[in-house]
Amino acid sequence: MTLLFKSRLGRKIAAVITLLIAVCCPTSADEISSDSDAAIFFETKVRPLLAEHCFECHSGDKSEGGLRVDHHQNLILGGDSGAAITPGDPNGSLLISAVRYEELEMPPKSKLSKEDIAILELWVENGAVWPQHKGAEATTEEDLQERIKQWWAAQPLDPSLPRGDLASAHSQQLIDRYIDEQLVEVGLQRAPAADRARLIRRLSYDLTGLPPSPEAVENFEKDQRPGAYQRLVNDLFANPAYGERMARLWLDLVRYADSDGWRADAYRPQAWRYRQFVVDAFNHSMPYDQFVKWQVAGDEYQPSNEEALAAVGFLRLGIYEYNQRDAEGQWQNIVDELTDVTADVFLATGLACAKCHDHKFDPIPRSDYYRMRSVFEPVFFNDWKGELNLSEDQQAEVKRLLTELEEVEGEDIHQLGMSVVSKFTTELQAMYDKSPEERSAYENQMAYLVGRQYFEEGISGTRSKSKLGDERFARREEVLKKLDQLGANPYSPAELMSIRDADGEIQPTRLPGRSSGREFLPGAPELFGGASLECQPPSESTGSSGRRMALAEWIVSDDNPIAARVMVNRLWQYHFGTGLVDSPNDFGQLGKKPSHPHLLDYLASRLIDSGWDIQSVQREIVMSETYRQSSDNSLMDQAMKVDPSNRLLWHRTVRRVDAEQYRDTLLVAMDRLNYEFGGPAISGTGPRRSLYLRRMRNSVDEILTALDTPPGLVGTAKRDVTTTAPQSLMMMNSSRVIGVASQFASRIRSEIQADPASTGTFAEAFVDRAHRVIAGLPATEDMKKLLSPLAQSGDQGQVDVCHILINSNAFLFID
């Protein structure tokens, strides 16, 4: 009953650094241990930093001060002031001195952040490695096409069947045959099936995120009728908790949170509508192609459908700073983020690496980034309030109240708002002052950001009371309350955070800082067969450009081989802990190759052929003998020499419960879990499932934080599984956990007293029942012998027994 954890440093620091890079890469000298690490570090951290802050004045034909920084040799030669870098000596390098603002001050507009300076210092300290290789920018079109042909993820699906006939196979199931084929080649075989108690616990946690009850375990063990396991699978898929569990996994990926992020981190009362869409989509077995289409362009497919409008809220989940005065810079970051996250989630492609330059490892030219970014050029934030359904009398009352509100407020409230608008640049103020019909799409986008601050910081701020005085403020509040009752309060939050295209002429997509020159038209990445997208205003939404609909159609089209691969790999990861591709958001050269490429393509083909039915693929996975095998294999010693990381799946990998499973199981142990389905997020730490807790980016629940739940700053394709001292201390000393142990003991005590069939002493029955609740298995004789004296000692001893069990491996790990 020891605690098993792994170590990790600096959650908050790691979260910040993650925002600076497009892929995971080394962050300290100790971690840059190979040429490959150094190359990845340069391409994902150093080169983008130089491109963003230095290339404008020091690259190509621009060499202010005689210096260019777009090539290693140029940095060594230096400019008018001498060599820019001395590899291995950051303190003796002019570049580092300049970015520190010690003598020269570069970049001149503003000093780099501490994190950026640290990146350059670390790069120089480790030899200033600048990889020399044939990048996409150095290739001809023929070379590029050849590189695309050589990249596995861009190839057509190839679900070649395993060798051998079914009669001689160990299993009739195709998944097992793919697994066995590779195991046989190295002289291994799968482990036997797990026992039923472990199997139902595994399956229940996988499909619902909750443990089975002791009674459910007992019934499954006793059910000797044919098809018992199939019936169990069917029951769990039919449980509404299935959608809740699958939603939690998907929400990690799409950076879901209930708050804006950064310093203000304001609460988003409408965010839950997207979360509910995801839950319902999984429970109702929405086809994956529709799932994708609605999240990318639900407003264009069905602009009057609230569910579709909630789905496209996917594009509203990024960080937003309501008090950011640099509206233009913020909007560029928002559109970049929409481009990056769409490529990550649906294509597992590091498109962001091609933002500043052609991708250095994958055949992705810079033009591919800006063609896809062009798809999101006209995006407009739509705070949807829906239609009022009022009688004529109610309409008349609303009109009267709005007139009264206007009289009460006069010009004073408007002046408060305009005092905020005046803090923006004159150009932005001019855009805001225009009527919507006169604005371009870009001007409407800017006016929205300015208008949000006019509203949130100005007219809805705390200064309104002092501006109006007590009497007028009280009268205003009374009018607003009546409008609230009619659903017509102009200051009430929107019902949905959604998306639509902005009105007005769409500005061309060009390289950053360019107002002329090449224009990039909407398109999909060339390496997946994508070309210019044919964008037509959709018949259902004639005010839209159709750009996002065109992209969505392409993502799930027969011409795109990667979308289905990416999703089935995520499903495999959900059930085995590791995907067939162990870099779920990167199918490129910086990622990992698939362990079983034909199995991956078989499952992708299966998904498409089933009508994009996610559950059908999941059912095939959990019905396989590979999924059902034990964690123990008689060939353990031999297998550990051949495949110590278990990539060939010769046994079941034991997995730790995740943060939500841990917290929800504690509620189950206390018999306090509130199974209420759906609805807005709750504040505090009530007994609802963890899915429904208010997820604030800057203040995640302490129990969830300790067990590695991501804060939602960026998408998380695969959670950390760490071991830290705070985890142990929280489990042993937290007043919340100790309170759980006390209520858990009370529950077990009452159940034992009420059960005339209990055998053995009260203390032995107590230990056994508590272990069955928390771990799904009977307590061993050794465990009873060890813990029974403690349980026999009285109420506090029984609390201690429960506290021990909720810190035990039997609970913390799923076999």
Side-chain angles (χ1 to χ4, degrees):
M1 288 179 283
T2 58
L3 294 174
L4 297 182
F5 302 103
K6 298 179 183 177
S7 62
R8 181 184 63 180
L9 296 176
R11 165 179 285 277
K12 291 187 177 179
I13 294 175
V16 172
I17 291 177
T18 300
L19 295 174
L20 300 176
I21 59 177
V23 296
C24 293
C25 59
T27 58
S28 71
D30 290 340
E31 291 173 291
I32 304 177
S33 57
S34 67
D35 291 342
S36 175
D37 288 342
I40 293 172
F41 181 81
F42 176 82
E43 297 296 354
T44 57
K45 287 192 173 184
V46 179
R47 191 193 292 269
L49 196 159
L50 295 174
E52 180 178 357
H53 297 287
C54 308
F55 281 10
E56 182 179 357
C57 302
H58 300 281
S59 69
D61 57 359
K62 298 178 180 180
S63 55
E64 293 188 12
L67 174 66
R68 286 176 52 185
V69 300
D70 54 353
H71 192 278
H72 186 266
Q73 190 62 29
N74 294 331
L75 284 166
I76 297 294
L77 292 173
D80 298 344
S81 301
I85 60 170
T86 302
D89 183 10
N91 292 328
S93 296
L94 188 58
L95 173 68
I96 302 303
S97 175
V99 297
R100 290 172 176 169
Y101 275 34
E102 292 175 344
E103 296 178 14
L104 298 174
E105 296 183 354
M106 293 292 166
K109 294 180 181 178
S110 62
K111 188 177 181 180
L112 296 180
S113 68
K114 292 180 180 179
E115 291 82 7
D116 285 346
I117 294 172
I119 287 171
L120 293 175
E121 290 172 340
L122 182 59
W123 173 60
V124 174
E125 180 182 348
N126 283 277
V129 173
W130 190 301
Q132 301 299 316
H133 48 70
K134 193 174 183 180
E137 81 282 9
T139 66
T140 64
E141 180 62 26
E142 291 76 14
D143 291 333
L144 180 62
Q145 293 303 320
E146 184 60 32
R147 293 180 68 203
I148 290 173
K149 290 179 182 179
Q150 294 173 1
W151 189 21
W152 73 268
Q155 306 314 307
L157 298 177
D158 178 19
S160 298
L161 294 176
R163 295 187 295 273
D165 58 62
L166 282 172
S168 62
H170 295 294
S171 170
Q172 303 296 299
Q173 222 255 34
L174 274 174
I175 287 177
D176 299 326
R177 293 179 62 203
Y178 281 111
I179 298 299
D180 290 344
E181 182 178 44
Q182 291 190 212
L183 287 174
V184 168
E185 289 179 0
V186 295
L188 298 177
Q189 62 185 32
R190 283 182 282 107
D195 63 65
R196 284 198 170 192
R198 287 177 172 81
L199 193 53
I200 185 176
R201 185 170 186 261
R202 177 190 304 172
L203 190 67
S204 184
Y205 269 123
D206 268 11
L207 293 183
T208 70
L210 297 171
S213 68
E215 292 72 26
V217 175
E218 183 179 3
N219 291 337
F220 180 56
E221 288 183 309
K222 290 180 178 179
D223 188 354
Q224 298 303 314
R225 296 171 297 163
Y229 182 71
Q230 177 72 70
R231 287 191 294 278
L232 175 64
V233 169
N234 292 342
D235 288 346
L236 292 174
F237 271 113
N239 191 326
Y242 162 74
E244 293 173 322
R245 175 58 183 167
M246 291 299 296
R248 180 63 268 163
L249 299 168
W250 184 262
L251 295 177
D252 277 4
L253 182 65
V254 297
R255 83 274 192 230
Y256 176 86
D258 293 294
S259 67
D260 285 341
W262 295 142
R263 185 168 183 176
D265 205 32
Y267 174 54
R268 294 176 172 175
Q270 321 91 335
W272 71 273
R273 295 291 298 271
Y274 173 80
R275 181 241 297 151
Q276 193 61 46
F277 157 75
V278 176
V279 173
D280 292 341
F282 281 111
N283 273 337
H284 299 155
S285 201
M286 176 181 283
Y288 182 66
D289 59 343
Q290 181 182 339
F291 188 61
V292 172
K293 290 175 182 178
W294 277 23
Q295 290 182 80
V296 175
D299 60 303
E300 294 189 316
Y301 283 101
Q302 297 194 22
S304 300
N305 184 328
E306 284 191 38
E307 188 180 11
L309 294 178
V312 79
F314 158 71
L315 299 175
R316 292 289 301 273
L317 297 178
I319 290 173
Y320 168 76
E321 296 180 274
Y322 87 90
N323 57 354
Q324 171 63 265
R325 304 296 186 219
D326 181 14
E328 294 188 277
Q330 181 177 24
W331 189 253
Q332 294 307 311
N333 291 337
I334 287 171
V335 179
D336 285 349
E337 197 264 354
L338 297 184
T339 307
D340 300 345
V341 76
T342 302
D344 286 344
V345 170
F346 302 116
L347 305 176
T349 300
L351 202 65
C353 290
K355 177 185 175 183
C356 303
H357 50 77
D358 291 350
H359 201 296
K360 300 303 174 182
F361 293 90
D362 298 334
I364 305 175
R366 195 180 187 194
S367 57
D368 269 3
Y369 183 89
Y370 287 94
R371 291 198 308 150
M372 188 158 168
R373 189 188 188 281
S374 181
V375 170
F376 301 99
E377 197 70 62
V379 157
F380 186 80
F381 284 2
N382 180 20
D383 299 321
W384 188 81
K385 285 196 172 185
E387 300 294 330
L388 289 177
N389 185 18
L390 301 175
S391 66
E392 289 188 13
D393 289 343
Q394 288 174 321
Q395 291 176 30
E397 177 65 2
V398 167
K399 185 176 180 181
R400 185 191 69 77
L401 289 169
L402 290 174
T403 301
E404 183 178 356
L405 180 65
E406 186 176 352
E407 292 172 353
V408 172
E409 293 182 339
E411 284 295 309
D412 292 329
I413 296 297
H414 175 62
Q415 289 172 3
L416 282 177
M418 291 308 295
S419 69
V420 175
V421 174
S422 67
K423 298 176 182 179
F424 289 91
T425 64
T426 54
E427 291 81 6
L428 287 170
Q429 292 181 52
M431 294 179 193
Y432 183 74
D433 288 339
K434 285 185 179 181
S435 67
E437 296 77 18
E438 295 175 322
R439 298 179 189 137
S440 66
Y442 180 72
E443 289 172 333
N444 272 314
Q445 292 163 338
M446 292 304 98
Y448 172 87
L449 295 182
V450 175
R452 280 284 296 266
Q453 294 192 37
Y454 169 94
F455 179 83
E456 295 181 28
E457 189 177 341
I459 65 177
S460 294
T462 57
R463 295 181 296 161
S464 59
K465 185 173 184 178
S466 60
K467 186 72 172 177
L468 295 175
D470 291 345
E471 185 177 345
R472 288 173 67 197
F473 180 79
R475 186 178 167 205
R476 179 178 185 252
E477 290 296 293
E478 183 180 345
V479 173
L480 291 176
K481 183 177 180 182
K482 292 177 180 178
L483 286 167
D484 251 337
Q485 294 169 349
L486 293 166
N489 184 344
Y491 302 137
S492 64
E495 294 180 35
L496 287 174
M497 294 170 56
S498 192
I499 288 287
R500 65 176 175 84
D501 276 3
D503 297 326
E505 183 180 355
I506 302 171
Q507 78 167 0
T509 299
R510 295 190 173 96
L511 295 177
R514 307 281 178 87
S515 58
S516 61
R518 181 180 179 184
E519 177 183 345
F520 295 90
L521 299 177
E526 186 178 353
L527 74 164
F528 299 126
S532 296
L533 297 172
E534 296 185 11
C535 309
Q536 299 292 331
S539 58
E540 295 293 327
S541 181
T542 53
S544 294
S545 65
R547 295 185 181 198
R548 285 177 288 113
M549 179 183 283
L551 176 64
E553 293 286 344
W554 172 82
I555 288 174
V556 291
S557 70
D558 293 340
D559 297 330
N560 178 20
I562 199 169
R565 279 189 179 119
V566 170
M567 186 55 188
V568 296
N569 188 64
R570 298 197 194 285
L571 295 176
W572 191 271
Q573 176 190 317
Y574 293 166
H575 291 294
F576 288 93
T578 301
L580 294 168
V581 179
D582 191 16
S583 51
N585 262 20
D586 188 355
F587 277 26
Q589 298 298 326
L590 293 177
K592 304 293 180 64
K593 296 288 182 66
S595 59
H596 298 76
H598 293 309
L599 172 55
L600 180 69
D601 281 6
Y602 162 72
L603 293 173
S605 299
R606 178 82 169 78
L607 178 63
I608 295 170
D609 293 344
S610 68
W612 297 91
D613 186 344
I614 292 172
Q615 283 195 21
S616 72
V617 175
Q618 282 186 281
R619 286 174 183 273
E620 186 163 348
I621 289 173
V622 300
M623 289 299 297
S624 70
E625 292 180 8
T626 301
Y627 175 81
R628 288 187 276 177
Q629 66 182 322
S630 168
S631 59
D632 294 325
N633 191 315
S634 60
L635 300 176
M636 180 74 71
D637 291 342
Q638 176 186 346
M640 287 298 291
K641 295 176 182 178
V642 175
D643 180 29
S645 60
N646 195 32
R647 293 297 287 137
L648 298 180
L649 296 167
W650 48 271
H651 74 115
R652 176 71 182 186
T653 299
V654 176
R655 299 166 62 189
R656 195 192 72 189
V657 293
D658 66 29
E660 289 81 4
Q661 290 171 332
Y662 175 79
R663 180 184 173 275
D664 292 350
T665 303
L666 295 183
L667 290 169
V668 169
M670 294 187 291
D671 199 23
R672 288 196 60 218
L673 181 61
N674 179 348
Y675 291 91
E676 181 183 349
F677 182 80
I682 65 166
S683 59
T685 57
R688 294 289 304 279
R689 285 198 72 171
S690 300
L691 177 72
Y692 299 114
L693 293 185
R694 188 174 292 185
R695 187 67 64 92
M696 305 297 286
R697 286 183 160 110
N698 288 349
S699 55
V700 182
D701 179 87
E702 63 176 356
I703 287 180
L704 300 182
T705 298
L707 289 172
D708 306 310
T709 190
L713 292 169
V714 293
T716 301
K718 187 176 182 180
R719 288 190 182 186
D720 294 331
V721 182
T722 67
T723 302
T724 63
Q727 290 172 342
S728 302
L729 294 172
M730 180 272 292
M731 292 178 182
M732 291 188 291
N733 301 319
S734 166
S735 59
R736 287 174 62 185
V737 176
I738 293 172
V740 168
S742 178
Q743 293 191 49
F744 183 19
S746 295
R747 170 198 171 173
I748 300 301
R749 195 180 301 122
S750 63
E751 289 180 352
I752 295 299
Q753 292 169 346
D755 183 9
S758 296
T759 59
T761 67
F762 173 86
E764 290 176 336
F766 183 96
V767 172
D768 186 68
R769 177 67 180 177
H771 197 271
R772 288 177 184 272
V773 168
I774 208 73
L777 294 167
T780 64
E781 291 303 317
D782 286 344
M783 190 177 295
K784 291 179 185 178
K785 184 177 180 180
L786 178 65
L787 296 180
S788 291
L790 195 56
Q792 190 65 45
S793 66
D795 288 357
Q796 184 55 51
Q798 292 154 19
V799 171
D800 291 341
V801 167
C802 290
H803 196 188
I804 290 169
L805 291 178
I806 59 179
N807 281 276
S808 68
N809 283 350
F811 164 42
L812 293 173
F813 291 87
I814 304 170
D815 193 345

